[in-house]
Amino acid sequence: MLCGIGLGFTDLTRIGVLLVALPLLSGLLMRRHDLRFSLERTALPGRIQVDEQSRVTLGIENAGGAASPLLMAEEQLDYALGDRPRFVVPRLRRGDRQEVHYSVRSHVRGRHRLGPLGVRLRDPFGLSTRVAAISGSSDILVLPRIVPLGGGQPLFDGTHAVVEQRAAFRGNARLAVALNRLW
């Protein structure tokens, strides 16, 4: 801008003014948006077995005084639950609500955290980015896989005859004799 003024080139001066005004305009646009949201998170089912899926529903409501801009959102998840889901939250008027669904699956048992939700706002010129986290998290419990056992009979039912019979049947004659002496 100074070179344009000093050399008398009006076009160069206009470009310089634009380059100085653009970051200021970008900063003003970013500050005018009020990023206040309320979040409701539900995981159904809340308890799953290893390698089962759970469907998570995020209810995002604009709690700010004005309409929200278009936002990029990313859910923070434990590493064991897979990739972090990313989605676009459309422009929401005051009090409007948007629901987003995604699925999680874990190969590791334990209690895993869902959340918080991070939102990112960029200005139209791509010069600045504003990042905010919508507080709130919930947990999902991953249990070990249940393996049904065979339908066999119990080894001991209170009488020593059953134990002797089973030991003899399996070819453990010495064990059968030893058990007989104990009884």
Side-chain angles (χ1 to χ4, degrees):
M1 183 173 73
L2 293 175
C3 289
I5 292 172
L7 296 173
F9 294 121
T10 57
D11 290 339
L12 189 60
T13 304
R14 288 180 191 152
I15 292 172
V17 168
L18 177 67
L19 291 177
V20 168
L22 203 54
L24 298 174
L25 181 63
S26 172
L28 287 174
L29 286 174
M30 293 299 287
R31 292 186 53 83
R32 81 176 178 144
H33 294 296
D34 185 17
L35 297 179
R36 283 190 294 164
F37 295 96
S38 65
L39 181 69
E40 181 181 326
R41 183 180 292 108
T42 307
L44 291 175
R47 289 182 177 184
I48 59 173
Q49 292 180 14
V50 172
D51 290 331
E52 282 186 350
Q53 280 191 349
S54 179
R55 186 169 172 88
V56 180
T57 302
L58 287 175
I60 303 166
E61 184 177 339
N62 184 2
S68 69
L70 183 72
L71 298 171
M72 179 68 164
E74 180 179 36
E75 179 82 321
Q76 306 294 318
L77 297 178
D78 278 352
Y79 177 73
L81 293 176
D83 292 334
R84 294 177 173 174
R86 293 180 181 170
F87 44 88
V88 176
V89 178
R91 183 179 173 94
L92 298 173
R93 293 188 180 127
R94 191 175 107 196
D96 281 355
R97 180 181 170 91
Q98 173 74 27
E99 283 194 358
V100 178
H101 307 280
Y102 66 91
S103 296
V104 292
R105 173 183 291 184
S106 177
H107 303 293
V108 180
R109 65 185 183 150
R111 184 174 301 272
H112 302 286
R113 175 157 293 196
L114 303 171
L117 180 69
V119 293
R120 185 178 327 151
L121 172 65
R122 297 189 85 178
D123 70 303
F125 309 112
L127 295 176
S128 61
T129 302
R130 185 173 170 190
V131 178
I134 301 174
S135 64
S137 62
S138 61
D139 294 327
I140 188 166
L141 185 62
V142 180
L143 303 172
R145 184 174 305 181
I146 298 173
V147 178
L149 300 176
Q153 296 177 358
L155 182 63
F156 182 70
D157 67 351
T159 63
H160 67 280
V162 173
V163 177
E164 286 179 37
Q165 288 173 355
R166 296 228 172 134
F169 178 72
R170 292 192 176 120
N172 294 331
R174 284 190 228 160
L175 178 62
V177 171
L179 288 172
N180 195 13
R181 287 183 190 158
L182 286 174
W183 298 112

